[in-house]
């Protein structure tokens, strides 16, 4: 039981009221982002809209536009960071990139809204109590769907000095945590030799054959990988004309494992598939891994429990479906954040059972119905942040759990998982 339970309850109530009061403009913010979907690292309008929101529509924030990345931003309130000792530095994260062709089919417009709303509520609550040593940060993090803006921002020091970070992602259910797997994108390019495919095919070196063999090699490999590992990809370039033996082909694959420690194993296995296809066809092969590999998420059960308690008080019904709770739901660059700062990446229902990355989900993410659930989630995040701020024991528990979980993962990384790539 928190010693300041009375004050805590009052502040939680205040946070909720502030979020309700700002409901209309928060909805406009997310609608503006939703109606103009922009791809990773190119979210210029979303960036400008969020910057305008914190510098013009809201008061008291110091805003850094283009913060370390062209389409990232930072809004801060409270004492300056670094060296204050007792100041608790709390951050709320926004995402706002869309998917090619299907717009906001992952609902990142709502992630921007939920992050902004939680920050507004939390700030308003702590503002009333001048004695609370707290700094509030909103970080606008681009390119979750492609590239991993949070990983760039970590490298640039944007997460330095933060004590705890909060974000929430829309889905089909409310859940304080869903497993996320580590992931690395790889592009495989085959270079062959063009020739007339009917007149003198023997003069050609067929890069499409290499791509097809690569695809098939990986499909065969899939039978011998662990059930929770994932390999999936596309052929991005498959040639230009049936009567020209393709001189160039390109594939893009995502390789995923539950822990970042296992990624090197799946990569070594996939590598043999890439190279053997080149050897069989006489093509040259180039294998290019993306700049950023995504880590799995480190859980923080203290934060999850608090979030669940607050969510339930607001009427959330958390899923108990084991399939949802145990299946890996994809990857996120928040995984990398969870290795540098303790945090929570919860999921929230938006009034629809449509599946993410479909056109139906795009519609749901822009629907008025999603607003109630988005703001309710923002309240639960703000309330959870208030819990850790007002109860120093809880913050310490959050930090201890983070250190322990990280040590465990580091040990796994150091010892290395079993690799049966070589049959010796
Ligand atoms: N490097 C590519 C990353 C793709 C990330 C993408 N993320 C999501 O879909 C969000 C989490 C889903 N619950 C993914 O394909 O996993």
């Amino acid at each position: 039981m928190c010693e300041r339970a009375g004050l805590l309850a009052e502040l939680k109530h205040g946070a909720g009221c502030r979020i309700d009061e700002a409901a209309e403009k928060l909805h406009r913010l997310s609608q503006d982002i939703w109606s103009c979907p922009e791809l990773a690292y190119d979210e210029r309008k979303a960036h400008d809209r969020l910057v305008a929101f914190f510098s013009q529509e809201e008061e008291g924030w110091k805003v850094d536009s283009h913060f370390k990345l062209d389409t990232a931003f930072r809004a801060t309130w409270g004492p300056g960071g670094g060296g204050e000792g007792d100041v608790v530095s709390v951050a709320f994260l926004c995402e706002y990139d869309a998917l090619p062709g299907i717009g906001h089919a992952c609902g990142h417009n709502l992630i921007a809204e939920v992050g902004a709303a939680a920050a507004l509520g939390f700030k308003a609550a702590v503002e009333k109590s001048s004695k609370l040593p707290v700094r509030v940060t909103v970080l606008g993090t681009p390119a979750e769907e492609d590239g991993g803006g949070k990983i760039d921002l970590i490298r640039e020091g944007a997460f330095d000095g933060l004590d705890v970070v909060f974000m929430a992602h829309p889905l089909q259910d409310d859940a304080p945590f869903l497993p996320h797997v580590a992931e690395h994108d790889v592009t495989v390019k085959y270079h062959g030799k063009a020739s007339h495919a009917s007149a003198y095919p023997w003069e050609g070196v067929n890069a499409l054959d290499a791509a097809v063999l690569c695809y098939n090699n990986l499909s065969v490999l899939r039978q011998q990988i662990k059930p929770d590992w994932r390999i999936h990809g596309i052929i991005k370039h498959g040639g230009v004309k049936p009567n020209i033996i393709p001189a160039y082909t390109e594939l893009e694959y995502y390789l995923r494992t539950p822990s970042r420690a296992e990624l090197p194993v799946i990569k070594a296995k996939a590598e043999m598939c890439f190279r053997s296809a080149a050897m069989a066809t006489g093509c040259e092969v180039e294998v290019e891994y993306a700049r950023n590999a995504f880590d799995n998420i480190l859980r923080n059960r203290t934060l999850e429990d608090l979030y669940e308690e607050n969510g339930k008080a607001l009427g959330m019904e958390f899923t108990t479906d084991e399939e949802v709770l145990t299946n890996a739901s994809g990857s996120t660059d928040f995984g990398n954040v969870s290795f540098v700062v303790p945090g929570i990446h919860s999921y929230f229902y938006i009034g629809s059972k449509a599946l993410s990355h479909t056109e139906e989900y795009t519609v749901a993410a822009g629907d008025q119905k999603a607003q109630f659930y988005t703001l309710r989630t923002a309240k639960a995040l703000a309330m959870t942040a208030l819990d850790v701020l007002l109860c120093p024991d809880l913050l310490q528990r959050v930090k201890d759990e983070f250190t322990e979980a990280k040590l465990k993962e580091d040990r796994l990384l150091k010892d290395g998982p079993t690799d049966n790539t070589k049959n010796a």
Side-chain angles (χ1 to χ4, degrees):
M1 176 84 171
C2 184
E3 281 171 20
R4 294 189 274 181
L7 175 63
L8 182 59
E10 195 185 309
L11 296 190
K12 284 184 178 181
H13 178 72
C17 291
R18 176 69 187 104
I19 291 170
D20 284 336
E21 190 186 291
E24 233 177 88
K25 66 178 172 183
L26 286 162
H27 185 202
R28 276 201 302 276
L29 173 72
S30 109
Q31 274 297 302
D32 288 348
I33 297 172
W34 180 82
S35 56
C36 184
E38 297 166 301
L39 300 185
Y41 295 114
D42 201 29
E43 314 94 328
R44 290 169 209 290
K45 292 202 173 87
H47 164 275
D48 294 352
R49 183 66 180 86
L50 281 152
V51 164
F53 181 85
F54 282 101
S55 50
Q56 291 161 26
E57 294 186 40
E58 281 294 305
E59 277 172 19
W61 296 93
K62 176 184 175 301
V63 181
D64 300 296
S65 56
H66 311 291
F67 179 64
K68 298 183 186 285
L69 291 178
D70 207 24
T71 55
F73 74 92
R74 182 176 72 172
T76 47
W77 177 87
E84 296 87 2
D86 285 344
V87 173
V88 180
S89 198
V90 174
F92 298 93
L93 308 186
C94 297
E95 289 173 9
Y96 32 85
D97 60 326
L99 287 156
I102 48 174
H104 276 290
C106 206
H108 291 190
N109 59 306
L110 299 176
I111 303 184
E113 179 180 357
V114 84
L120 253 58
F122 181 71
K123 170 179 169 280
V126 296
E127 220 167 2
K128 286 205 183 117
S129 180
S130 57
K131 290 190 197 76
L132 291 173
V134 62
R135 175 176 158 93
V136 191
T137 299
V138 183
L139 263 189
T141 65
E144 190 277 334
E145 289 293 351
D146 200 9
K150 291 183 196 64
I151 307 169
D152 300 321
L153 288 169
I154 290 171
R155 214 177 280 123
E156 292 295 319
F159 286 87
D160 294 355
L162 298 176
D163 287 299
V164 55
V165 297
F166 295 86
M167 73 169 284
H169 194 300
L171 205 72
Q172 297 82 37
D173 294 285
D174 279 307
F177 171 83
L178 293 178
H180 277 74
V181 290
E183 186 271 347
H184 210 169
D185 303 9
V186 60
T187 298
V188 186
K189 297 174 179 175
Y190 291 105
H191 299 273
K193 189 168 156 251
S195 178
H196 194 296
S198 174
Y200 18 82
W202 51 87
E203 294 294 334
V205 176
N206 196 324
L208 180 59
D209 283 349
V212 170
L213 285 177
C214 171
Y215 186 93
N216 288 334
N217 287 345
L218 290 164
S219 300
V220 171
L221 169 64
R222 201 175 284 120
Q223 297 177 96
Q224 271 64 240
I225 60 172
K226 294 187 180 170
D228 45 9
W229 291 15
R230 294 284 181 275
I231 302 179
H232 52 92
I234 53 167
I235 298 181
K236 285 186 90 172
H237 296 287
V240 287
K241 209 176 185 311
N243 61 0
I244 305 173
I245 290 188
Y248 176 74
T249 53
E250 192 177 312
L251 302 97
E252 190 179 347
Y253 266 80
Y254 289 180
L255 307 176
R256 313 196 198 223
T257 55
S259 156
R260 66 178 186 172
E262 293 165 297
L263 264 184
V265 182
I266 201 170
K267 283 164 72 171
K269 289 174 185 288
E271 188 86 18
M272 293 192 291
C273 297
F274 306 152
R275 300 212 178 270
S276 57
M279 193 184 282
T281 53
C283 288
E284 297 291 321
V285 62
E286 282 178 87
V287 178
E288 290 169 3
Y289 278 95
R291 181 177 70 244
N292 294 324
F294 285 30
D295 290 340
N296 48 298
I297 295 187
L298 275 192
R299 293 189 74 159
N300 196 294
R301 285 185 171 79
T302 306
L303 286 173
E304 288 169 27
D305 291 348
L306 291 168
Y307 177 81
E308 193 163 341
E309 206 176 303
N310 287 313
K312 281 183 177 161
L314 294 164
M316 283 185 198
E317 287 174 18
F318 290 95
T319 182
T320 53
D321 184 339
E322 274 307 305
E323 208 179 302
V324 175
L325 291 170
T326 52
N327 268 352
S329 73
S331 310
T332 165
D333 54 2
F334 182 85
N336 303 61
V337 174
S338 76
F339 277 83
V340 295
V341 191
I344 184 169
H345 178 285
S346 61
Y347 275 100
F348 62 102
Y349 176 64
I350 61 167
S352 163
K353 282 287 181 186
L355 297 178
S356 320
H357 291 209
T358 65
E359 284 175 7
E360 292 74 26
Y361 205 80
T362 305
V363 173
D367 198 301
Q368 164 73 39
K369 213 196 307 173
Q371 287 306 299
F372 167 78
Y373 302 102
T374 304
L375 297 189
R376 182 170 73 175
T377 302
K379 290 174 194 172
L381 287 180
M383 287 160 79
T384 307
L386 287 166
D387 281 324
V388 292
L389 175 67
L390 269 84
C391 315
D393 291 358
L394 280 179
L395 181 59
Q396 196 50 52
R397 244 167 60 198
V398 166
K399 289 186 173 183
D400 291 347
E401 198 181 325
F402 163 75
T403 309
E404 202 179 308
K406 199 161 126 38
L407 267 176
K408 221 162 127 189
E409 283 275 339
D410 286 348
R411 228 172 286 135
L412 195 62
L413 198 61
K414 193 166 144 266
D415 298 346
T418 341
D419 178 359
N420 67 348
T421 306
K422 306 273 179 296
N423 60 4

